[in-house]
Amino acid sequence: MLKEVQTKVSAASFRRYKNAVNSLLAQFSTSSLLLAPLFLFVVLTAAQIENSDDAADIIVAMMAWHSPVNAIVLVVTTPPYRNYILRKSPHQSTARVNTFSGHHSHGSFSRLKNFFKFQ
């Protein structure tokens, strides 16, 4: 699919397109966390198997993992989100205060202001 586009766009654009396709494929694969347990749940319900309540509870709990796993996959496979998360480490967002002079140390007020701007 991307072979046709590769000759028509720049290398940077092609890299972005390739990352987008990889991200979409990874997100699509996480849909199995929702579809496979849902299929099993429908089979259990249709078969009316006795004492299948515990299995149904486990299947419903498995389906609840779809959203958090999809969010993690989105962050890991999408460079802008991944870069934002890596840039916002806790060590960078804390401000140091010089208690002797009562003033903020060099640049920490700007970092603190920027930290609360994104919150």
Side-chain angles (χ1 to χ4, degrees):
M1 178 173 67
L2 290 176
K3 294 273 185 203
E4 296 173 15
V5 176
Q6 187 174 12
T7 59
K8 299 175 183 175
V9 297
S10 68
S13 293
F14 180 73
R15 192 170 30 254
R16 279 197 313 266
Y17 294 158
K18 188 175 178 182
N19 286 338
V21 169
N22 287 336
S23 178
L24 289 172
L25 289 173
Q27 289 175 54
F28 180 71
S29 68
T30 63
S31 65
S32 66
L33 286 173
L34 182 63
L35 295 177
L38 182 61
F39 177 74
L40 290 174
F41 183 76
V42 169
V43 168
L44 279 177
T45 304
Q48 296 178 350
I49 300 172
E50 288 186 36
N51 302 324
S52 63
D53 294 341
D54 293 333
D57 289 342
I58 292 170
I59 290 171
V60 169
M62 288 171 55
M63 290 188 316
W65 278 98
H66 173 260
S67 184
V69 169
N70 195 35
I72 291 169
V73 167
L74 177 70
V75 169
V76 169
T77 61
T78 308
Y81 295 132
R82 183 176 55 235
N83 294 339
Y84 179 77
I85 295 296
L86 292 176
R87 186 185 61 188
K88 294 292 282 186
S89 68
H91 299 294
Q92 294 175 347
S93 62
T94 58
R96 290 182 236 159
V97 176
N98 185 346
T99 56
F100 296 111
S101 65
H103 298 293
H104 293 280
S105 63
H106 177 69
S108 63
F109 183 72
S110 298
R111 285 191 299 265
L112 185 62
K113 186 172 80 174
N114 289 335
F115 172 75
F116 285 111
K117 184 177 174 182
F118 291 107
Q119 298 300 321

